[in-house]
Amino acid sequence: MAEKINILCATDNNYAPYHGVMLTSLLMNNKDCQFDIYMLSDKTWPEQETARFESLCKGYNSQFHLVKVDNSAIRNFPQRAHITLPTYYRLLACDLLPQSIRKILLLDGDIIVRGDIRPLWNIDL
């Protein structure tokens, strides 16, 4: 079995649809890959969104993992129109994700994946 590719996303309810589009483009253009997708979001993330993302990923032989973030550690961080609390979730990823993860690709919700992600994944860091 091929290695699973780990994907990290950080969002809130407002941007979930955009991440859905990005993940759909990733999965549709990489049908021969398996992914573990980790979504960092706050505790208000709706269960129906989790079900949608799980269903999407399952249809492509991949897994969706929702990781709920406690905002108390970053509540007082500066926020602007384009810098929201989910922007800071990425800084907490090392503490929130399973320690077994040695490599992960961060994909924002404002991209479309148009081809094979493996060349990016296979870069020796």
Side-chain angles (χ1 to χ4, degrees):
M1 177 187 287
E3 174 186 21
K4 280 193 175 183
I5 297 174
N6 298 309
I7 302 294
L8 175 64
C9 304
T11 191
D12 59 20
N13 310 5
N14 298 320
Y15 291 94
Y18 304 106
H19 280 83
V21 171
M22 180 276 294
L23 288 175
T24 299
S25 72
L26 171 71
L27 296 167
M28 288 182 70
N29 289 298
N30 291 275
K31 292 178 182 171
D32 56 341
C33 295
Q34 289 184 329
F35 296 94
D36 270 323
I37 297 167
Y38 294 88
M39 181 71 71
L40 303 180
S41 192
D42 65 16
K43 297 183 185 295
T44 64
W45 180 269
E47 284 188 33
Q48 67 267 24
E49 288 296 340
T50 300
R52 284 186 192 132
F53 280 89
E54 286 175 342
S55 177
L56 171 65
C57 292
K58 186 177 180 182
Y60 289 92
N61 200 24
S62 295
Q63 291 188 307
F64 177 77
H65 309 273
L66 176 64
V67 180
K68 292 189 177 183
V69 178
D70 178 1
N71 286 338
S72 62
I74 58 173
R75 183 174 305 135
N76 295 322
F77 283 27
Q79 296 182 59
R80 307 284 185 270
H82 64 287
I83 302 175
T84 60
L85 287 181
T87 304
Y88 297 111
Y89 294 169
R90 303 164 196 179
L91 301 174
L92 304 173
C94 287
D95 294 326
L96 297 171
L97 297 174
Q99 294 299 308
S100 60
I101 294 176
R102 295 287 173 240
K103 185 177 182 180
I104 195 162
L105 295 177
L106 170 66
L107 298 181
D108 283 333
D110 60 353
I111 65 169
I112 298 293
V113 178
R114 296 181 50 207
D116 188 351
I117 198 81
R118 286 176 293 194
L120 180 61
W121 177 252
N122 289 327
I123 293 174
D124 184 10
L125 300 175

